[in-house]
Amino acid sequence: MAILVIAEHDNATLKGATLNVVTAAAAIGGDVNVLVAGSNCGAVAEAAAKIAGVSKVLVADNAAYEYQLAENMGELVAELGKDYSHILAAATTTGKDFLPRAAALLDVNMLSEVTAVVDADTFSRPIYAGNAIATVKSSDSIKVMTVRGTAFDAAAAEGGSAAVEATAVVKDAGLSAFVGEELAKSDRPELTGAKIVVSGGRGMQNGDNFEMLYKVADKIGAAVGASRAAVDAGFVPNDMQVGQTGKIVAPDLYIAVGISGAIQHLAGMKDSKVIVAINKDEEAPIFQVADYGLVADLFDAVPALENAL
Amino acid sequence: MKVLVAVKRVIDYNVKVRVKPDNSDVDLTNVKMAMNPFCEIAVEEAVRLKEKGVATEVVVVSIGPKVAQEQIRTALALGADRGILIETEEKLESLTVAKLLKAVVEKEQPQLVLLGKQTIDSDNNQTGQMLGALTNMAQGTFASEVAVDGDKVNVTREIDGGLRTVALKLPAIVTTDLRLNEPRYASLPNIMKAKRKPLDVTTPADLGVAMASTLSLVKVTPPAERQAGIKVGSVEELVEKLKNEAKVL
């Protein structure tokens, strides 16, 4: 039994999410191979070869894969994946985009956001915004799944010495083309991998007030997140959204500021180790999951917090 | 051009679901149902394309029990022209849904297929992509902007680091993100009018799709319960507790 893990990367660096997927693959048990598909992605392949527990790295280096367009990736993964018992990718926007396409081409079902491996055929995943956990057994010949990174530890990035092998498979569906992108620039840690996350909600009132959270975050090396209300109101960009439809985080410490705690927000952060809520409404649902709650006006509490740190 | 929109009847997003005591599934008896929020956004986008003169006809399709007609009627009240219900009582996996939709796509020949990016019950986020694979159409998932331009559609997608725009050859598939638009409310006259709009009922057998299932639900359990913690009186106390009690600072 061999398992194929699709690497998450930007052609220059391997993304941390891949390491968590390798751990999930190891839990299934079997030979773990990593596919690096991109353009001029040699450095990524080298990094993937060093991951502990990886036996082989397949490299598909072609202009067709530069932006990991789902149409091309789907065909590539379906073609190479035929020889594997399991195909895994991180539950990121990239993995969610191409992997269902590959599964359909292989005529198998797929499991999204797997959070636990019971055995080689049985997996757990959250449903209904994380309000229930479904344990599902698959009888498909190839098990295809995305893995929720926060549910698995990261594999060691060093210590492995996998063989790197180029694949000649080139799939260019010719259906889509990259036009451009706008990426949010930030020096703070990546939201999904951060040890501490400070999030603001509607209570922040405007985008300028998020500056207060940035100051706190910078003092403790935290990433900054937001609720959907804050994103919809235009306070911050959408890639900062934590929740069912945004990012799923599970840091050691999650500080929710001016966030009421709707079901959809809790879906994205309730597996955090310690949750702190700062809200002036003591009836806010967030206090039902917070380990430490402070009923206070955030405009007093946040600057005071910054000073106290 | 013709636009096909797929909608799903799901539990209302405000309802707190309960797991059945025997752990066989979640309890959906007497629970408020509604159109999946992402599907509403897809309907709204299709109606806006019609209002802009880009779309000529908006066809809405749903797969589910007879009562799913309610969600199709809702879509018709929002401005869709006609509905198709693929009636089945069975619980469907994404691949089967995609195969059923493929049969509808082949029959209707839409230039654009709009779906929500995920349903809030299964949280799968798969159907649009699978339909793309089965029909060999391009896909623009998690769309926050859709611009039809001749024989192409430019889709701005929400990705982890920000936004990305792709150009897709038509016919294409687009799955909607929350920020694509704000769905309108149906007015009473439009709800009345929707009752007279055509709604065809078909079955998976009519469409020649086998209802094979490869996933079996072993059990459904409630997530680990999180207990409410303590309230602290001041910021100083909070920091002290985080440092010495929780040891996370």
Side-chain angles (χ1 to χ4, degrees):
Chain A
M1 200 163 64
I3 302 169
L4 183 64
V5 169
I6 323 295
E8 173 97 8
H9 65 91
D10 59 4
N11 293 314
T13 49
L14 183 73
K15 294 281 168 72
T18 311
L19 301 174
N20 305 80
V21 182
V22 168
T23 301
I28 295 168
D31 212 16
V32 179
N33 294 1
V34 173
L35 168 64
V36 177
S39 179
N40 293 318
C41 54
V44 180
E46 271 174 47
K50 287 186 193 143
I51 304 173
V54 173
S55 64
K56 186 165 85 177
V57 174
L58 287 169
V59 189
D61 197 330
N62 191 284
Y65 308 128
E66 184 172 1
Y67 298 103
Q68 302 207 313
L69 295 171
E71 296 81 4
N72 302 349
M73 285 294 290
E75 288 189 20
L76 174 71
V77 172
E79 172 76 27
L80 296 175
K82 279 181 194 146
D83 301 330
Y84 292 86
S85 61
H86 297 74
I87 305 174
L88 280 63
T92 56
T93 49
T94 314
K96 287 173 181 174
D97 190 32
F98 71 75
L99 204 58
R101 210 165 161 114
L105 291 173
L106 290 165
D107 197 28
V108 297
N109 261 297
M110 189 189 137
L111 295 161
S112 294
E113 305 253 6
V114 165
T115 52
V117 175
V118 179
D119 60 41
D121 306 322
T122 317
F123 305 90
S124 296
R125 55 176 302 265
I127 52 175
Y128 293 89
N131 287 300
I133 308 296
T135 302
V136 183
K137 193 176 168 70
S138 164
S139 62
D140 279 313
S141 54
I142 303 173
K143 276 83 174 163
V144 179
M145 68 197 79
T146 55
V147 172
R148 180 172 288 188
T150 56
F152 297 89
D153 293 333
E158 298 287 334
S161 55
V164 178
E165 193 180 287
T167 163
V169 181
V170 178
K171 297 281 183 184
D172 191 348
L175 293 169
S176 64
F178 173 85
V179 176
E181 62 189 3
E182 278 172 61
L183 299 180
K185 292 261 177 296
S186 168
D187 298 331
R188 288 182 199 94
E190 208 185 336
L191 196 50
T192 47
K195 291 261 179 252
I196 306 177
V197 173
V198 182
S199 277
R202 197 195 304 272
M204 297 305 295
Q205 292 183 6
N206 60 48
D208 295 340
N209 289 335
F210 263 77
E211 205 55 46
M212 298 192 305
L213 298 189
Y214 297 145
K215 283 185 188 156
V216 170
D218 290 343
K219 269 206 159 159
I220 50 179
V224 179
S227 70
R228 184 182 164 200
V231 172
D232 281 352
F235 301 172
V236 291
N238 64 278
D239 56 288
M240 284 170 64
Q241 186 183 326
V242 172
Q244 184 182 16
T245 61
K247 295 198 170 109
I248 313 288
V249 301
D252 290 342
L253 173 60
Y254 188 88
I255 305 178
V257 181
I259 293 176
S260 65
I263 297 173
Q264 293 79 11
H265 186 73
L266 298 182
M269 47 62 82
K270 70 185 161 74
D271 292 325
S272 304
K273 210 166 117 202
V274 175
I275 298 174
V276 169
I278 299 175
N279 204 303
K280 64 181 175 188
D281 174 13
E282 61 179 315
E283 301 297 320
I286 190 79
F287 286 119
Q288 290 164 23
V289 298
D291 299 284
Y292 300 102
L294 176 63
V295 181
D297 189 329
L298 70 93
F299 293 99
D300 300 327
V302 176
L305 181 62
E306 190 204 335
N307 288 330
L309 290 168
Chain B
M1 67 182 194
K2 191 194 275 188
V3 179
L4 182 72
V5 189
V7 303
K8 187 179 180 189
R9 174 185 173 89
V10 298
I11 191 166
D12 184 90
Y13 73 97
N14 274 313
V15 174
K16 179 134 172 64
V17 296
R18 308 235 172 264
V19 172
K20 286 183 186 169
D22 66 356
N23 289 341
S24 59
D25 207 340
V26 296
D27 194 352
L28 293 181
T29 43
N30 298 322
V31 168
K32 189 181 174 202
M33 303 294 275
M35 194 193 296
N36 180 48
F38 291 98
C39 301
E40 266 186 81
I41 293 167
V43 172
E44 175 67 30
E45 194 64 19
V47 172
R48 288 186 189 190
L49 286 171
K50 197 180 164 196
E51 287 168 349
K52 276 191 241 168
V54 178
T56 47
E57 189 186 25
V58 176
V59 182
V60 52
V61 55
S62 191
I63 305 165
K66 201 179 189 82
V67 282
Q69 288 200 5
E70 287 171 21
Q71 278 61 49
I72 297 179
R73 290 287 172 206
T74 304
L76 295 175
L78 293 170
D81 297 297
R82 62 186 169 90
I84 301 168
L85 174 66
I86 304 171
E87 199 178 315
T88 172
E89 292 292 330
E90 278 184 66
K91 241 181 124 169
L92 303 177
E93 290 149 11
S94 306
L95 186 61
T96 312
V97 172
K99 286 178 178 174
L100 289 165
L101 292 176
K102 181 199 178 200
V104 176
V105 165
E106 282 173 353
K107 199 162 155 241
E108 296 285 339
Q109 298 286 323
Q111 283 295 101
L112 192 63
V113 185
L114 288 165
L115 304 92
K117 77 164 177 180
Q118 73 191 63
T119 57
I120 60 164
D121 51 0
S122 66
D123 280 335
N124 272 331
N125 195 335
Q126 298 170 0
T127 303
Q129 295 90 315
M130 287 183 164
L131 180 61
L134 300 179
T135 56
N136 197 32
M137 286 190 205
Q139 69 185 49
T141 51
F142 329 144
S144 60
E145 210 184 315
V146 176
V148 177
D149 177 16
D151 60 348
K152 282 203 168 72
V153 56
N154 280 326
V155 178
T156 301
R157 308 177 48 230
E158 300 204 357
I159 61 167
D160 284 332
L163 297 171
R164 168 180 288 187
T165 305
V166 288
L168 313 177
K169 235 188 216 175
L170 289 172
I173 288 165
V174 171
T175 74
T176 63
D177 216 316
L178 285 170
R179 270 161 294 274
L180 181 58
N181 60 48
E182 197 156 324
R184 68 193 68 188
Y185 291 97
S187 66
L188 189 58
N190 284 344
I191 293 171
M192 300 308 289
K193 252 190 258 168
K195 290 185 178 165
R196 292 191 301 273
K197 288 186 180 175
L199 197 169
D200 292 330
V201 179
T202 178
T203 64
D206 289 343
L207 296 169
V209 176
M211 307 290 274
S213 173
T214 56
L215 299 178
S216 58
L217 204 51
V218 178
K219 62 176 178 183
V220 175
T221 49
E225 199 68 34
R226 249 198 121 97
Q227 297 301 323
I230 56 160
K231 293 245 168 82
V232 293
S234 69
V235 168
E236 290 68 33
E237 195 190 337
L238 175 64
V239 172
E240 190 272 323
K241 294 246 190 245
L242 290 177
K243 277 187 175 150
N244 302 320
E245 200 176 276
K247 301 193 195 310
V248 283
L249 275 183

